[in-house]
Amino acid sequence: LKKNGIRILKRRFLSGGGEIDLIGEDQEIICFIEVKYRPRGVPGEGLRAVDSRKIERIRKTAAAYMKGKKERPVRYDVLEIAAAGITYLRNAF
C-alpha cells in the first residue's frame, strides 16, 4: 500500500457490527480497504467474496467512521493476498 501512495490511518475499525480492515489516505481521499487472505485459493477468489451484503456492511461502517469528520472524498478498495500473489483493486465498488 505504501508503494501505491497510501498512508494507513486505522486498522480493524469496528462499529455497529461492521468491520473495516484498513482505512488509508491517498492524498485527500479516504480509502476503506477490505483485505481478503486466501493462501490456497485461486486468483480472484478473495475479490469475489466481497458480495452485496459485505459491500453494504462496509459502506455503513465507513459512514460511521466519517461521522463528525471533515467531508472528504472516499473510495472503497479490495486487497487480495493469495498464493499466486497480491492484487489491489482500487474503486472496487
Side-chain angles (χ1 to χ4, degrees):
L1 294 173
K2 286 181 184 179
K3 288 180 183 179
N4 283 296
I6 297 172
R7 183 173 70 95
I8 300 302
L9 302 174
K10 186 119 180 105
R11 299 172 197 273
R12 290 200 69 226
F13 175 76
L14 303 169
S15 176
E19 175 186 9
I20 296 177
D21 296 321
L22 298 170
I23 300 173
E25 185 177 50
D26 184 0
Q27 296 178 15
E28 83 252 12
I29 300 170
I30 299 294
C31 306
F32 298 100
I33 305 164
E34 176 67 12
V35 178
K36 292 297 182 186
Y37 178 62
R38 301 290 191 265
R40 296 184 184 156
V42 296
E45 182 181 327
L47 301 175
R48 287 188 297 278
V50 182
D51 60 13
S52 59
R53 284 189 334 211
K54 183 70 174 171
I55 289 169
E56 183 179 334
R57 209 168 330 145
I58 291 169
R59 288 185 190 269
K60 285 181 182 178
T61 307
Y65 176 81
M66 294 301 292
K67 190 173 184 176
K69 292 185 173 35
K70 178 183 169 189
E71 190 170 320
R72 295 171 68 178
V74 300
R75 186 176 78 210
Y76 300 93
D77 302 346
V78 177
L79 172 65
E80 178 186 72
I81 302 168
I86 297 172
T87 303
Y88 185 60
L89 185 59
R90 292 173 187 250
N91 290 310
F93 53 90

